[in-house]
Amino acid sequence: MRDGHREGSATPVGESEPLCELGSFVRNRVRVISLVITVCFAALTGGCVSKTDATAPPMMAAPVKVAKATKKTVPISLTAIGTGEAYSTVSLKSQVNGALDAVHFTQGDFVSKGELLFSLDARPFQAAVAQAEATLAKDKAQLALDDTEADRYRKLFEAGVTPQEQFDQQKSTAAAQAASVQADEAALEQAKLQLQYCYIYSPIDGRSGALGATPGNLVTAGNLPVLVVIDQVTPLYIDFAVPEQYLGEIKKFTARGKLPVSATAYGETLSETGYLTFVDNTVDNTTGTIKLKGTFPNPDHHLWPGQYSTVSLQLSEDEDATIVPSAAVQTGQSGDFIFVVKADSTAEQRTVKTVRTIGTDTVIASGVAPGETVVTDGQLRLIPGIKVQVTSPAAN
């Protein structure tokens, strides 16, 4: 039984041979793979060494756009946001009570000084004028009679027929009647004035606003409604404010003469030129600014009351300023810098100090000299010392 058990537990010869063959196959495959990896690594290493020894091809030049730094005279100016203000504004109201009879213009039109705008029902005022004229005529007739009586009593008094008392009484009656005539004349003038108020004329040249009343409405003297508002827009004011730190310079340059001011309204391409005509007498403590006002002829009505404008107040001129396009100035961690193209067509990064921006140009205080070539487009491709290739706008 024990011999039979040992025979049953032994491994059969036919099953041991396939396992040995499998292990040998795996070891052979591992050797082959290791050999292939070694050969590939040697080939790659040998290739890298050969390329390192060979001469590297030249780096491609970076395409850029350039411009020349120039020297020219530029204005020293302050820029602010201004608001248009009518040169004068008139709110028309009726000065008499009456019914609005007619409107003689179209709202929104330009009107001229002295142009008839409104007319009220004038019949009650015409009747008042006629009544005042009649009263004046009656009192004048009575005055003529009293003067005649006074003259008669004077002669009788001089002849010693009439006592002094009667003569003085008649003379006083004539004087009182003369005063009544003067009162009648004043009443007549007042009636005529009231009649004139029935016709409302434009007191200025300007642009009319919206109508406050239409024909048929009853208007009252000095109260609502406002019939129309007229704004004079030729000339026109532009109100703006600058920081109080510039007040000293403004006063200094204003003492030398008028300071020019230019204004460009939003939506407009043309700028209007005027002069500084007002400096406020106090600084606004809440904003730290000083209020200024420029007067503009505005013949073409480019500026408008209430419209925002970009205002530039020119204080003086810088005759030897170095100018570069604003697109050439870049901002980094160390401040503003510019790429300059050297004579060997390489880029050099320079730190610059900017003074101010005028339109599309920037005034440079230091870092770039007039005549040098600066990069205006393509700076993202540049590093100091890299070769550059100037391209035309079309090619770029």
Side-chain angles (χ1 to χ4, degrees):
M1 293 295 293
R2 284 182 292 185
D3 293 340
H5 178 71
R6 292 191 191 98
E7 293 177 358
S9 62
T11 302
V13 177
E15 295 179 0
S16 175
E17 293 178 355
L19 292 175
C20 294
E21 293 176 357
L22 178 60
S24 177
F25 174 75
V26 171
R27 287 191 295 273
N28 291 336
R29 291 299 297 270
V30 171
R31 293 190 187 96
V32 171
I33 293 173
S34 299
L35 180 61
V36 171
I37 292 174
T38 302
V39 173
C40 291
F41 178 76
L44 292 174
T45 305
C48 292
V49 172
S50 61
K51 288 184 179 180
T52 304
D53 295 337
T55 302
M59 184 180 298
M60 293 184 62
V64 295
K65 290 182 183 179
V66 297
K68 289 287 186 180
T70 59
K71 178 183 289 187
K72 62 180 180 179
T73 301
V74 296
I76 300 175
S77 58
L78 302 176
T79 303
I81 300 299
T83 307
E85 178 189 350
Y87 192 78
S88 62
T89 300
V90 178
S91 298
L92 293 183
K93 298 180 181 179
S94 175
Q95 293 181 277
V96 293
N97 299 332
L100 183 60
D101 190 41
V103 177
H104 303 279
F105 71 103
T106 302
Q107 55 184 350
D109 285 349
F110 282 96
V111 295
S112 301
K113 182 178 180 179
E115 180 180 346
L116 179 63
L117 302 181
F118 301 94
S119 59
L120 279 63
D121 186 4
R123 291 173 298 178
F125 303 96
Q126 291 172 346
V129 170
Q131 183 179 2
E133 290 175 342
T135 302
L136 176 60
K138 182 188 70 171
D139 288 343
K140 280 185 175 181
Q142 183 63 43
L143 175 61
L145 178 60
D146 292 340
D147 286 340
T148 302
E149 290 293 331
D151 185 65
R152 181 181 298 113
Y153 274 92
R154 179 183 61 78
K155 293 177 180 180
L156 292 175
F157 171 73
E158 292 175 352
V161 177
T162 303
Q164 176 74 35
E165 182 180 359
Q166 290 184 350
F167 171 61
D168 291 341
Q169 183 178 2
Q170 190 59 41
K171 186 170 62 172
S172 175
T173 302
Q177 189 61 30
S180 298
V181 169
Q182 291 180 350
D184 293 341
E185 290 175 345
L188 178 60
E189 292 298 324
Q190 178 66 20
K192 289 181 178 179
L193 186 61
Q194 296 292 309
L195 179 61
Q196 291 179 2
Y197 287 157
C198 293
Y199 304 96
I200 303 174
Y201 301 87
S202 175
I204 59 173
D205 296 328
R207 176 83 176 222
S208 62
L211 285 175
T214 54
N217 287 310
L218 183 64
V219 295
T220 56
N223 295 322
L224 297 177
V226 175
L227 300 179
V228 72
V229 176
I230 301 175
D231 288 336
Q232 185 176 357
V233 296
T234 307
L236 181 133
Y237 291 127
I238 293 292
D239 299 330
F240 61 101
V242 298
E244 60 179 316
Q245 66 194 61
Y246 299 111
L247 179 58
E249 295 184 14
I250 292 173
K251 291 191 296 184
K252 179 181 68 174
F253 290 112
T254 302
R256 301 177 183 176
K258 291 184 177 180
L259 297 182
V261 184
S262 63
T264 304
Y266 285 177
E268 294 283 351
T269 57
L270 298 177
S271 62
E272 293 286 334
T273 302
Y275 292 94
L276 182 67
T277 55
F278 172 76
V279 179
D280 203 357
N281 58 0
T282 183
V283 173
D284 189 347
N285 293 328
T286 59
T287 60
T289 58
I290 182 73
K291 183 180 179 182
L292 308 176
K293 186 177 296 188
T295 303
F296 296 80
N298 197 32
D300 298 323
H301 306 138
H302 290 152
L303 304 177
W304 209 248
Q307 186 181 29
Y308 288 106
S309 302
T310 302
V311 181
S312 178
L313 171 63
Q314 181 176 333
L315 300 177
S316 182
E317 290 184 342
D318 188 353
E319 298 181 354
D320 297 319
T322 301
I323 305 297
V324 299
S326 299
V329 182
Q330 305 293 304
T331 302
Q333 295 180 351
S334 301
D336 295 332
F337 66 90
I338 288 179
F339 281 104
V340 178
V341 179
K342 301 170 62 178
D344 58 356
S345 298
T346 59
E348 178 185 1
Q349 181 176 331
R350 295 186 189 175
T351 301
V352 296
K353 181 180 179 181
T354 61
V355 179
R356 57 188 172 275
T357 299
I358 304 173
T360 59
D361 295 330
T362 298
V363 180
I364 303 297
S366 61
V368 176
E372 290 189 303
T373 303
V374 298
V375 178
T376 59
D377 190 19
Q379 291 95 330
L380 293 178
R381 307 184 184 95
L382 302 183
I383 58 175
I386 191 174
K387 286 281 185 179
V388 298
Q389 179 184 3
V390 178
T391 62
S392 63
N396 197 44

